Amino acid sequence: MSAGGKQPQPPPPQSPSPSSLFTLRGSLLTLALLTLASFTVVSLNSLRSPAAAAAAPGTLTPSFSILKMSREAAGDGDGDGGGGGGGGEELSDIYHLPEVFRLNYAAMERDFGVFIYPDGDPNTFYQTPRKLTGKYASEGYFFQNIREGRFRTDDPDRAHLFFIPISCHKMRGKGTSYENMTVIVQNYVDSLIAKYPYWNRTLGADHFFVTCHDVGVRATEGVPLLVKNSIRVVCSPSYDVGFIPHKDVALPQVLQPFALPAGGNDVENRTRLGFWAGHRNSKIRVILARVWENDTELDISNNRISRATGHLVYQKRFYRTKFCICPGGSQVNSARIADAIHYGCVPVILSNYYDLPFNDILDWRKFSVIVKESEVYNLKQILKNISDAEFLQLHENLVKVQKHFQWNSPPIKYDAFHMVMYELWLRHHVIKY
Protein backbone atom coordinates (compact mmCIF):
# COMPACT_ATOMS: atom_id res chain seq x y z
CA MET A 1 0.00 0.00 0.00
CA SER A 2 1.32 3.48 -0.88
CA ALA A 3 2.10 6.20 1.68
CA GLY A 4 -1.05 8.12 0.73
CA GLY A 5 -3.21 5.06 1.51
CA LYS A 6 -4.20 4.53 -2.11
CA GLN A 7 -3.71 1.17 -3.81
CA PRO A 8 -1.71 1.22 -7.02
CA GLN A 9 -3.86 0.84 -10.11
CA PRO A 10 -3.16 -2.13 -12.37
CA PRO A 11 -1.83 -1.28 -15.78
CA PRO A 12 -4.49 -1.09 -18.49
CA PRO A 13 -4.92 -4.32 -20.51
CA GLN A 14 -2.97 -4.40 -23.68
CA SER A 15 -4.35 -5.65 -26.96
CA PRO A 16 -2.65 -8.75 -28.31
CA SER A 17 -0.11 -8.06 -30.94
CA PRO A 18 -0.80 -9.14 -34.52
CA SER A 19 2.03 -11.69 -34.26
CA SER A 20 0.54 -13.40 -31.17
CA LEU A 21 -2.91 -13.55 -32.84
CA PHE A 22 -1.35 -15.18 -35.84
CA THR A 23 0.39 -17.78 -33.64
CA LEU A 24 -2.83 -18.61 -31.75
CA ARG A 25 -4.87 -18.93 -34.95
CA GLY A 26 -2.20 -21.13 -36.49
CA SER A 27 -2.17 -23.45 -33.49
CA LEU A 28 -5.94 -23.81 -33.51
CA LEU A 29 -5.94 -24.48 -37.25
CA THR A 30 -3.23 -27.13 -36.86
CA LEU A 31 -5.15 -28.80 -34.03
CA ALA A 32 -8.33 -28.83 -36.11
CA LEU A 33 -6.54 -30.41 -39.08
CA LEU A 34 -4.99 -33.12 -36.87
CA THR A 35 -8.38 -33.91 -35.33
CA LEU A 36 -10.00 -34.12 -38.77
CA ALA A 37 -7.27 -36.46 -39.99
CA SER A 38 -7.66 -38.73 -36.96
CA PHE A 39 -11.42 -39.02 -37.43
CA THR A 40 -10.91 -39.76 -41.12
CA VAL A 41 -8.56 -42.66 -40.39
CA VAL A 42 -10.88 -44.09 -37.74
CA SER A 43 -13.81 -43.84 -40.16
CA LEU A 44 -11.86 -45.70 -42.83
CA ASN A 45 -11.04 -48.44 -40.33
CA SER A 46 -14.73 -48.72 -39.49
CA LEU A 47 -15.64 -49.04 -43.16
CA ARG A 48 -13.11 -51.83 -43.54
CA SER A 49 -14.74 -53.65 -40.62
CA PRO A 50 -18.51 -53.64 -41.29
CA ALA A 51 -19.17 -56.21 -38.54
CA ALA A 52 -17.90 -53.86 -35.86
CA ALA A 53 -21.32 -52.26 -35.45
CA ALA A 54 -22.78 -55.65 -34.53
CA ALA A 55 -20.40 -56.29 -31.64
CA ALA A 56 -21.92 -57.78 -28.51
CA PRO A 57 -22.49 -55.31 -25.65
CA GLY A 58 -20.10 -57.22 -23.41
CA THR A 59 -17.27 -57.47 -25.92
CA LEU A 60 -13.91 -56.82 -24.33
CA THR A 61 -11.75 -54.50 -26.42
CA PRO A 62 -8.48 -53.00 -25.19
CA SER A 63 -8.58 -49.23 -24.80
CA PHE A 64 -5.26 -48.55 -26.46
CA SER A 65 -5.18 -46.76 -29.79
CA ILE A 66 -6.11 -48.82 -32.83
CA LEU A 67 -4.36 -46.22 -34.94
CA LYS A 68 -1.09 -46.86 -33.14
CA MET A 69 -1.51 -50.62 -33.42
CA SER A 70 -2.34 -50.47 -37.08
CA ARG A 71 1.01 -48.77 -37.67
CA GLU A 72 2.86 -51.38 -35.60
CA ALA A 73 1.08 -54.42 -37.02
CA ALA A 74 0.76 -53.32 -40.64
CA GLY A 75 3.57 -55.57 -41.85
CA ASP A 76 2.99 -58.42 -39.40
CA GLY A 77 0.80 -60.59 -41.64
CA ASP A 78 2.06 -64.03 -42.50
CA GLY A 79 -0.15 -64.53 -45.54
CA ASP A 80 -1.52 -67.87 -44.33
CA GLY A 81 -5.14 -66.85 -44.82
CA GLY A 82 -5.95 -68.41 -41.46
CA GLY A 83 -7.74 -65.56 -39.76
CA GLY A 84 -5.13 -62.81 -39.56
CA GLY A 85 -2.05 -61.24 -41.05
CA GLY A 86 -2.07 -61.13 -44.81
CA GLY A 87 -5.01 -63.52 -45.31
CA GLY A 88 -8.54 -62.40 -46.09
CA GLU A 89 -10.44 -64.63 -43.66
CA GLU A 90 -9.81 -62.29 -40.74
CA LEU A 91 -12.50 -59.99 -42.12
CA SER A 92 -15.19 -62.68 -41.87
CA ASP A 93 -18.18 -61.73 -39.79
CA ILE A 94 -17.80 -64.82 -37.61
CA TYR A 95 -15.80 -62.38 -35.44
CA HIS A 96 -17.46 -59.54 -33.57
CA LEU A 97 -14.68 -57.11 -34.52
CA PRO A 98 -12.60 -58.79 -37.23
CA GLU A 99 -10.15 -55.95 -37.84
CA VAL A 100 -9.56 -55.37 -34.13
CA PHE A 101 -9.02 -59.10 -33.69
CA ARG A 102 -6.40 -59.13 -36.45
CA LEU A 103 -4.50 -56.16 -35.06
CA ASN A 104 -4.65 -57.20 -31.42
CA TYR A 105 -3.64 -60.76 -32.25
CA ALA A 106 -0.52 -59.46 -33.98
CA ALA A 107 0.32 -57.34 -30.94
CA MET A 108 -0.18 -60.35 -28.65
CA GLU A 109 2.17 -62.49 -30.70
CA ARG A 110 4.79 -59.78 -30.62
CA ASP A 111 4.61 -58.56 -27.01
CA PHE A 112 2.83 -60.93 -24.63
CA GLY A 113 4.92 -62.33 -21.78
CA VAL A 114 3.82 -64.80 -19.07
CA PHE A 115 5.89 -65.73 -16.01
CA ILE A 116 5.43 -69.29 -14.72
CA TYR A 117 6.16 -69.75 -11.01
CA PRO A 118 8.97 -72.31 -10.68
CA ASP A 119 8.03 -73.43 -7.16
CA GLY A 120 6.50 -76.76 -6.19
CA ASP A 121 7.63 -80.35 -6.32
CA PRO A 122 7.61 -81.32 -10.03
CA ASN A 123 6.78 -84.92 -9.06
CA THR A 124 3.43 -83.90 -7.60
CA PHE A 125 1.08 -81.29 -9.05
CA TYR A 126 3.26 -78.55 -10.50
CA GLN A 127 4.19 -79.82 -13.95
CA THR A 128 2.51 -80.61 -17.24
CA PRO A 129 -0.20 -83.23 -16.73
CA ARG A 130 0.87 -86.59 -18.08
CA LYS A 131 -2.13 -87.23 -20.29
CA LEU A 132 -2.98 -85.16 -23.35
CA THR A 133 -5.99 -87.31 -24.19
CA GLY A 134 -9.54 -87.59 -22.93
CA LYS A 135 -12.20 -85.03 -22.11
CA TYR A 136 -9.86 -83.07 -19.84
CA ALA A 137 -7.04 -82.91 -22.40
CA SER A 138 -7.38 -79.13 -22.73
CA GLU A 139 -5.65 -78.61 -19.39
CA GLY A 140 -2.74 -80.85 -20.36
CA TYR A 141 -2.31 -79.19 -23.74
CA PHE A 142 -2.32 -75.72 -22.19
CA PHE A 143 0.32 -76.64 -19.59
CA GLN A 144 2.59 -78.13 -22.23
CA ASN A 145 2.11 -75.32 -24.74
CA ILE A 146 2.66 -72.46 -22.29
CA ARG A 147 5.88 -74.06 -21.00
CA GLU A 148 7.31 -74.68 -24.44
CA GLY A 149 5.85 -71.74 -26.35
CA ARG A 150 6.86 -68.23 -27.28
CA PHE A 151 4.88 -66.45 -24.58
CA ARG A 152 6.90 -67.71 -21.62
CA THR A 153 9.34 -65.31 -20.03
CA ASP A 154 11.76 -65.99 -17.19
CA ASP A 155 11.86 -62.29 -16.34
CA PRO A 156 8.95 -61.46 -13.99
CA ASP A 157 9.51 -57.73 -14.53
CA ARG A 158 8.73 -58.19 -18.22
CA ALA A 159 5.66 -60.35 -17.62
CA HIS A 160 2.14 -59.12 -18.23
CA LEU A 161 0.55 -62.05 -16.36
CA PHE A 162 1.66 -64.73 -13.87
CA PHE A 163 0.69 -68.38 -14.30
CA ILE A 164 0.00 -70.48 -11.19
CA PRO A 165 0.88 -73.96 -12.55
CA ILE A 166 -1.00 -76.20 -10.15
CA SER A 167 -2.75 -79.11 -11.88
CA CYS A 168 -5.98 -80.31 -10.32
CA HIS A 169 -6.01 -82.93 -13.08
CA LYS A 170 -2.93 -84.56 -11.54
CA MET A 171 -4.47 -84.39 -8.06
CA ARG A 172 -7.53 -86.18 -9.41
CA GLY A 173 -5.33 -88.86 -10.97
CA LYS A 174 -3.59 -89.49 -7.64
CA GLY A 175 -6.91 -89.88 -5.82
CA THR A 176 -6.55 -86.79 -3.65
CA SER A 177 -9.73 -85.90 -1.74
CA TYR A 178 -11.48 -82.57 -2.31
CA GLU A 179 -10.58 -81.43 1.20
CA ASN A 180 -6.88 -82.18 0.68
CA MET A 181 -6.95 -80.55 -2.75
CA THR A 182 -8.18 -77.31 -1.21
CA VAL A 183 -5.45 -77.45 1.44
CA ILE A 184 -2.77 -78.09 -1.20
CA VAL A 185 -3.97 -75.19 -3.34
CA GLN A 186 -4.24 -72.85 -0.35
CA ASN A 187 -0.74 -73.68 0.92
CA TYR A 188 0.77 -73.28 -2.52
CA VAL A 189 -0.80 -69.86 -3.14
CA ASP A 190 0.16 -68.72 0.37
CA SER A 191 3.77 -69.69 -0.31
CA LEU A 192 3.82 -67.67 -3.55
CA ILE A 193 2.37 -64.64 -1.78
CA ALA A 194 4.99 -64.87 0.99
CA LYS A 195 7.97 -65.47 -1.30
CA TYR A 196 7.27 -63.07 -4.19
CA PRO A 197 6.04 -59.45 -4.37
CA TYR A 198 3.93 -59.89 -7.51
CA TRP A 199 0.62 -61.09 -6.07
CA ASN A 200 0.42 -58.23 -3.59
CA ARG A 201 0.79 -55.57 -6.28
CA THR A 202 -2.68 -56.36 -7.65
CA LEU A 203 -4.05 -58.78 -5.01
CA GLY A 204 -3.67 -61.48 -7.67
CA ALA A 205 -5.56 -59.72 -10.46
CA ASP A 206 -2.70 -60.35 -12.91
CA HIS A 207 -2.45 -64.05 -11.97
CA PHE A 208 -4.29 -66.96 -13.59
CA PHE A 209 -4.70 -70.70 -13.25
CA VAL A 210 -6.09 -73.33 -15.62
CA THR A 211 -8.35 -76.28 -14.86
CA CYS A 212 -10.62 -78.27 -17.17
CA HIS A 213 -12.96 -80.34 -15.05
CA ASP A 214 -15.48 -80.16 -12.25
CA VAL A 215 -12.85 -81.35 -9.79
CA GLY A 216 -10.77 -78.24 -10.41
CA VAL A 217 -13.72 -75.98 -9.70
CA ARG A 218 -14.40 -77.76 -6.41
CA ALA A 219 -10.73 -77.85 -5.42
CA THR A 220 -10.24 -74.11 -5.87
CA GLU A 221 -13.59 -72.75 -4.68
CA GLY A 222 -12.39 -73.24 -1.11
CA VAL A 223 -9.66 -70.64 -1.71
CA PRO A 224 -11.68 -67.40 -1.99
CA LEU A 225 -8.77 -65.05 -2.68
CA LEU A 226 -7.84 -67.19 -5.69
CA VAL A 227 -11.38 -67.47 -7.09
CA LYS A 228 -12.38 -63.84 -6.56
CA ASN A 229 -9.14 -62.09 -7.51
CA SER A 230 -7.22 -64.11 -10.09
CA ILE A 231 -8.29 -65.04 -13.63
CA ARG A 232 -9.84 -68.50 -13.76
CA VAL A 233 -9.40 -70.32 -17.07
CA VAL A 234 -11.95 -73.10 -16.63
CA CYS A 235 -14.05 -75.58 -18.60
CA SER A 236 -17.06 -74.92 -16.36
CA PRO A 237 -18.06 -71.37 -17.32
CA SER A 238 -21.41 -71.44 -15.55
CA TYR A 239 -22.55 -68.54 -13.42
CA ASP A 240 -23.74 -70.87 -10.66
CA VAL A 241 -20.11 -71.77 -9.93
CA GLY A 242 -19.05 -68.14 -9.61
CA PHE A 243 -17.81 -67.62 -13.17
CA ILE A 244 -17.26 -63.90 -13.86
CA PRO A 245 -17.34 -63.29 -17.64
CA HIS A 246 -15.32 -60.07 -17.81
CA LYS A 247 -12.59 -61.57 -15.57
CA ASP A 248 -12.52 -65.32 -16.15
CA VAL A 249 -11.92 -67.25 -19.39
CA ALA A 250 -14.01 -70.13 -20.75
CA LEU A 251 -11.62 -72.94 -21.69
CA PRO A 252 -13.01 -75.13 -24.50
CA GLN A 253 -13.36 -78.75 -23.48
CA VAL A 254 -12.04 -80.71 -26.44
CA LEU A 255 -12.01 -84.51 -26.56
CA GLN A 256 -8.77 -85.26 -28.39
CA PRO A 257 -7.50 -86.98 -30.38
CA PHE A 258 -10.57 -86.96 -32.63
CA ALA A 259 -11.48 -90.43 -33.85
CA LEU A 260 -12.37 -89.28 -37.38
CA PRO A 261 -11.34 -86.43 -39.71
CA ALA A 262 -13.01 -83.03 -39.58
CA GLY A 263 -16.31 -82.58 -41.40
CA GLY A 264 -16.30 -80.15 -44.28
CA ASN A 265 -18.30 -79.52 -47.43
CA ASP A 266 -20.57 -82.50 -46.88
CA VAL A 267 -24.05 -81.03 -46.39
CA GLU A 268 -25.58 -83.40 -48.95
CA ASN A 269 -24.90 -86.30 -46.54
CA ARG A 270 -26.68 -84.61 -43.61
CA THR A 271 -30.17 -85.99 -43.90
CA ARG A 272 -31.01 -86.26 -40.17
CA LEU A 273 -32.45 -83.11 -38.58
CA GLY A 274 -30.99 -83.41 -35.08
CA PHE A 275 -28.95 -85.78 -32.86
CA TRP A 276 -28.13 -86.30 -29.21
CA ALA A 277 -27.06 -89.32 -27.17
CA GLY A 278 -25.85 -89.30 -23.59
CA HIS A 279 -26.59 -89.80 -19.93
CA ARG A 280 -29.52 -88.04 -18.30
CA ASN A 281 -27.37 -86.36 -15.64
CA SER A 282 -29.12 -82.97 -15.64
CA LYS A 283 -32.68 -81.68 -15.61
CA ILE A 284 -32.53 -80.40 -19.19
CA ARG A 285 -31.24 -83.76 -20.47
CA VAL A 286 -34.07 -85.59 -18.71
CA ILE A 287 -36.64 -83.33 -20.38
CA LEU A 288 -34.92 -83.58 -23.78
CA ALA A 289 -34.99 -87.37 -23.70
CA ARG A 290 -38.53 -87.61 -22.37
CA VAL A 291 -39.99 -85.25 -24.98
CA TRP A 292 -38.08 -86.29 -28.11
CA GLU A 293 -36.62 -89.81 -27.75
CA ASN A 294 -39.38 -91.37 -29.90
CA ASP A 295 -39.41 -88.68 -32.56
CA THR A 296 -38.86 -89.76 -36.17
CA GLU A 297 -36.90 -86.66 -37.25
CA LEU A 298 -34.82 -86.07 -34.16
CA ASP A 299 -32.36 -88.86 -33.28
CA ILE A 300 -32.47 -88.63 -29.48
CA SER A 301 -31.15 -91.37 -27.19
CA ASN A 302 -31.19 -91.19 -23.40
CA ASN A 303 -28.09 -93.37 -23.10
CA ARG A 304 -24.65 -93.33 -24.61
CA ILE A 305 -24.30 -95.42 -27.74
CA SER A 306 -22.73 -98.75 -26.86
CA ARG A 307 -19.56 -99.77 -28.66
CA ALA A 308 -21.23 -103.13 -29.23
CA THR A 309 -23.48 -101.53 -31.84
CA GLY A 310 -20.51 -100.93 -34.14
CA HIS A 311 -17.21 -99.13 -34.59
CA LEU A 312 -17.38 -95.34 -34.00
CA VAL A 313 -21.17 -95.30 -34.39
CA TYR A 314 -21.48 -92.24 -32.15
CA GLN A 315 -18.98 -90.17 -34.15
CA LYS A 316 -20.47 -91.23 -37.50
CA ARG A 317 -23.87 -89.91 -36.41
CA PHE A 318 -22.34 -86.41 -36.40
CA TYR A 319 -21.51 -86.74 -40.11
CA ARG A 320 -25.13 -87.55 -41.02
CA THR A 321 -26.83 -84.82 -38.99
CA LYS A 322 -27.53 -81.14 -39.60
CA PHE A 323 -27.90 -80.04 -35.97
CA CYS A 324 -26.26 -81.64 -32.94
CA ILE A 325 -28.04 -80.93 -29.64
CA CYS A 326 -25.67 -79.85 -26.85
CA PRO A 327 -27.49 -79.77 -23.50
CA GLY A 328 -25.57 -79.04 -20.31
CA GLY A 329 -24.74 -82.03 -18.14
CA SER A 330 -23.84 -82.13 -14.46
CA GLN A 331 -21.92 -78.98 -15.31
CA VAL A 332 -22.76 -76.57 -18.10
CA ASN A 333 -19.67 -77.50 -20.11
CA SER A 334 -19.62 -80.36 -22.59
CA ALA A 335 -17.04 -81.82 -24.95
CA ARG A 336 -19.97 -82.43 -27.32
CA ILE A 337 -19.81 -78.82 -28.53
CA ALA A 338 -16.23 -79.19 -29.77
CA ASP A 339 -17.14 -82.61 -31.23
CA ALA A 340 -20.00 -81.06 -33.19
CA ILE A 341 -17.77 -78.28 -34.49
CA HIS A 342 -15.06 -80.74 -35.53
CA TYR A 343 -17.43 -83.09 -37.35
CA GLY A 344 -19.26 -80.26 -39.11
CA CYS A 345 -22.58 -80.62 -37.28
CA VAL A 346 -24.08 -77.25 -36.32
CA PRO A 347 -24.22 -77.21 -32.48
CA VAL A 348 -27.50 -76.35 -30.79
CA ILE A 349 -26.59 -74.78 -27.44
CA LEU A 350 -29.34 -75.83 -25.03
CA SER A 351 -28.24 -74.21 -21.76
CA ASN A 352 -29.00 -71.12 -19.74
CA TYR A 353 -26.23 -68.80 -18.52
CA TYR A 354 -23.41 -70.42 -20.46
CA ASP A 355 -20.48 -68.16 -21.29
CA LEU A 356 -19.33 -69.95 -24.43
CA PRO A 357 -15.61 -70.26 -25.24
CA PHE A 358 -14.22 -67.19 -27.03
CA ASN A 359 -17.65 -65.56 -26.72
CA ASP A 360 -16.24 -62.03 -26.83
CA ILE A 361 -14.28 -62.83 -30.02
CA LEU A 362 -16.55 -65.12 -32.03
CA ASP A 363 -20.17 -64.44 -32.93
CA TRP A 364 -21.64 -67.82 -31.99
CA ARG A 365 -24.96 -67.04 -33.67
CA LYS A 366 -23.14 -67.17 -37.01
CA PHE A 367 -22.24 -70.87 -36.66
CA SER A 368 -24.54 -72.32 -33.97
CA VAL A 369 -28.13 -72.22 -32.75
CA ILE A 370 -28.65 -70.91 -29.21
CA VAL A 371 -31.85 -72.07 -27.53
CA LYS A 372 -33.14 -71.38 -24.02
CA GLU A 373 -33.87 -74.43 -21.92
CA SER A 374 -37.52 -73.41 -21.70
CA GLU A 375 -37.75 -73.78 -25.51
CA VAL A 376 -36.86 -77.48 -25.47
CA TYR A 377 -40.54 -78.35 -26.10
CA ASN A 378 -40.42 -76.41 -29.40
CA LEU A 379 -36.99 -77.69 -30.38
CA LYS A 380 -37.97 -79.54 -33.54
CA GLN A 381 -40.01 -76.65 -34.92
CA ILE A 382 -37.20 -74.21 -34.17
CA LEU A 383 -34.79 -76.34 -36.21
CA LYS A 384 -37.26 -76.93 -39.04
CA ASN A 385 -37.84 -73.18 -39.32
CA ILE A 386 -34.17 -72.72 -40.29
CA SER A 387 -34.14 -72.55 -44.08
CA ASP A 388 -31.72 -74.50 -46.27
CA ALA A 389 -29.91 -71.28 -47.14
CA GLU A 390 -29.53 -70.37 -43.46
CA PHE A 391 -28.24 -73.85 -42.65
CA LEU A 392 -25.69 -73.68 -45.48
CA GLN A 393 -24.39 -70.38 -44.10
CA LEU A 394 -24.16 -71.77 -40.57
CA HIS A 395 -22.30 -74.83 -41.84
CA GLU A 396 -19.91 -72.74 -43.94
CA ASN A 397 -19.09 -70.56 -40.94
CA LEU A 398 -18.70 -73.63 -38.74
CA VAL A 399 -15.91 -74.91 -40.96
CA LYS A 400 -14.16 -71.54 -40.58
CA VAL A 401 -14.02 -71.79 -36.77
CA GLN A 402 -12.86 -75.41 -36.57
CA LYS A 403 -9.22 -74.35 -36.23
CA HIS A 404 -10.07 -72.39 -33.07
CA PHE A 405 -11.26 -75.56 -31.30
CA GLN A 406 -8.24 -77.74 -32.04
CA TRP A 407 -5.30 -78.25 -29.67
CA ASN A 408 -1.90 -78.89 -31.20
CA SER A 409 1.56 -79.77 -29.91
CA PRO A 410 3.45 -77.66 -30.74
CA PRO A 411 0.69 -75.04 -31.03
CA ILE A 412 -0.09 -73.40 -34.34
CA LYS A 413 -1.51 -70.00 -35.17
CA TYR A 414 -5.17 -69.40 -34.26
CA ASP A 415 -5.64 -72.79 -32.58
CA ALA A 416 -7.30 -73.27 -29.18
CA PHE A 417 -4.13 -72.42 -27.26
CA HIS A 418 -3.62 -69.14 -29.08
CA MET A 419 -7.28 -68.20 -28.68
CA VAL A 420 -7.04 -68.73 -24.92
CA MET A 421 -3.87 -66.66 -24.84
CA TYR A 422 -5.68 -63.94 -26.79
CA GLU A 423 -8.44 -63.92 -24.15
CA LEU A 424 -5.78 -63.49 -21.47
CA TRP A 425 -4.12 -60.76 -23.54
CA LEU A 426 -7.40 -58.83 -23.60
CA ARG A 427 -7.82 -59.13 -19.86
CA HIS A 428 -4.34 -57.96 -18.95
CA HIS A 429 -5.15 -54.51 -20.35
CA VAL A 430 -7.65 -53.79 -17.58
CA ILE A 431 -5.14 -54.54 -14.83
CA LYS A 432 -3.26 -51.47 -13.62
CA TYR A 433 -0.67 -51.16 -10.88
Side-chain angles (χ1 to χ4, degrees):
M1 184 175 293
S2 64
K6 296 181 179 180
Q7 296 182 356
Q9 298 297 317
Q14 297 183 2
S15 300
S17 66
S19 59
S20 62
L21 279 174
F22 179 79
T23 302
L24 177 60
R25 289 170 181 163
S27 300
L28 290 174
L29 180 59
T30 301
L31 179 61
L33 290 173
L34 288 173
T35 303
L36 178 60
S38 298
F39 276 114
T40 301
V41 175
V42 171
S43 298
L44 289 174
N45 280 337
S46 299
L47 288 172
R48 249 183 296 147
S49 176
T59 300
L60 284 171
T61 305
S63 59
F64 47 76
S65 169
I66 294 179
L67 292 177
K68 176 175 179 291
M69 290 201 49
S70 65
R71 301 293 186 271
E72 295 172 343
D76 203 30
D78 62 359
D80 64 357
E89 194 176 2
E90 73 276 10
L91 296 180
S92 167
D93 61 359
I94 60 173
Y95 306 102
H96 289 302
L97 294 168
E99 183 69 2
V100 170
F101 173 65
R102 183 182 73 83
L103 297 175
N104 290 358
Y105 189 100
M108 174 198 73
E109 284 192 311
R110 185 183 62 246
D111 300 331
F112 201 12
V114 173
F115 179 78
I116 304 176
Y117 282 107
D119 302 72
D121 181 359
N123 294 318
T124 53
F125 316 116
Y126 310 99
Q127 62 180 12
T128 301
R130 179 177 57 85
K131 292 178 63 177
L132 295 181
T133 59
K135 62 181 179 179
Y136 304 133
S138 295
E139 180 179 318
Y141 272 102
F142 185 90
F143 269 67
Q144 178 167 303
N145 289 347
I146 190 67
R147 290 185 184 280
E148 300 174 357
R150 64 193 296 175
F151 300 108
R152 181 176 183 176
T153 176
D154 294 326
D155 182 2
D157 294 324
R158 181 187 168 275
H160 298 94
L161 293 179
F162 295 78
F163 178 40
I164 302 174
I166 187 165
S167 173
C168 297
H169 183 44
K170 295 201 70 174
M171 292 186 200
R172 181 176 183 269
K174 291 178 177 290
T176 309
S177 68
Y178 290 120
E179 293 76 13
N180 286 339
M181 285 184 188
T182 299
V183 172
I184 292 170
V185 174
Q186 178 74 68
N187 291 340
Y188 181 54
V189 174
D190 286 345
S191 70
L192 299 181
I193 294 174
K195 183 175 180 179
Y196 299 94
Y198 310 115
W199 176 284
N200 292 324
R201 294 187 305 189
T202 64
L203 295 180
D206 56 357
H207 287 54
F208 72 94
F209 68 94
V210 176
T211 183
C212 189
H213 42 78
D214 309 344
V215 176
V217 172
R218 294 185 62 179
T220 55
E221 65 185 1
V223 189
L225 80 167
L226 188 67
V227 172
K228 293 181 179 180
N229 296 353
S230 65
I231 302 169
R232 296 194 301 165
V233 184
V234 295
C235 281
S236 297
S238 176
Y239 303 140
D240 59 6
V241 295
F243 185 84
I244 304 173
H246 65 271
K247 175 179 76 71
D248 299 330
V249 174
L251 184 69
Q253 188 180 52
V254 184
L255 185 61
Q256 286 189 222
F258 292 109
L260 294 170
N265 299 319
D266 51 5
V267 292
E268 66 278 359
N269 300 325
R270 301 183 180 275
T271 56
R272 178 70 69 173
L273 179 63
F275 166 62
W276 174 77
H279 291 321
R280 293 189 291 181
N281 57 354
S282 68
K283 180 180 178 180
I284 187 59
R285 290 187 175 192
V286 170
I287 298 174
L288 176 67
R290 186 177 71 239
V291 174
W292 298 111
E293 64 180 333
N294 296 317
D295 191 83
T296 57
E297 295 179 274
L298 294 178
D299 182 7
I300 304 296
S301 174
N302 64 2
N303 288 296
R304 292 182 179 175
I305 298 175
S306 172
R307 294 181 180 178
T309 61
H311 184 57
L312 299 177
V313 171
Y314 174 76
Q315 290 84 353
K316 291 176 182 176
R317 295 274 184 92
F318 283 89
Y319 285 132
R320 299 198 297 267
T321 309
K322 290 182 176 181
F323 301 99
C324 287
I325 319 302
C326 302
S330 56
Q331 288 287 330
V332 68
N333 59 300
S334 172
R336 184 175 282 99
I337 295 176
D339 283 345
I341 292 173
H342 174 77
Y343 293 118
C345 184
V346 175
V348 179
I349 312 300
L350 187 59
S351 292
N352 294 339
Y353 311 115
Y354 186 2
D355 200 72
L356 292 158
F358 319 135
N359 198 37
D360 49 1
I361 307 169
L362 301 175
D363 186 349
W364 276 78
R365 295 188 182 276
K366 297 294 176 60
F367 57 90
S368 71
V369 179
I370 300 175
V371 180
K372 295 180 180 178
E373 291 183 5
S374 60
E375 296 176 311
V376 64
Y377 302 97
N378 303 318
L379 180 61
K380 184 168 77 169
Q381 194 59 47
I382 290 172
L383 299 182
K384 293 187 74 171
N385 286 342
I386 297 174
S387 68
D388 290 342
E390 290 171 328
F391 168 71
L392 288 174
Q393 188 62 62
L394 288 170
H395 180 76
E396 180 181 331
N397 289 338
L398 188 69
V399 174
K400 293 179 182 178
V401 302
Q402 284 175 337
K403 62 179 175 289
H404 298 318
F405 293 87
Q406 170 78 45
W407 293 93
N408 300 286
S409 183
I412 63 176
K413 199 166 187 174
Y414 305 110
D415 67 359
F417 172 70
H418 283 91
M419 292 293 282
V420 172
M421 294 303 295
Y422 182 83
E423 291 275 23
L424 291 167
W425 171 251
L426 293 184
R427 280 152 179 77
H428 103 268
H429 285 91
V430 301
I431 302 167
K432 305 295 182 184
Y433 60 85

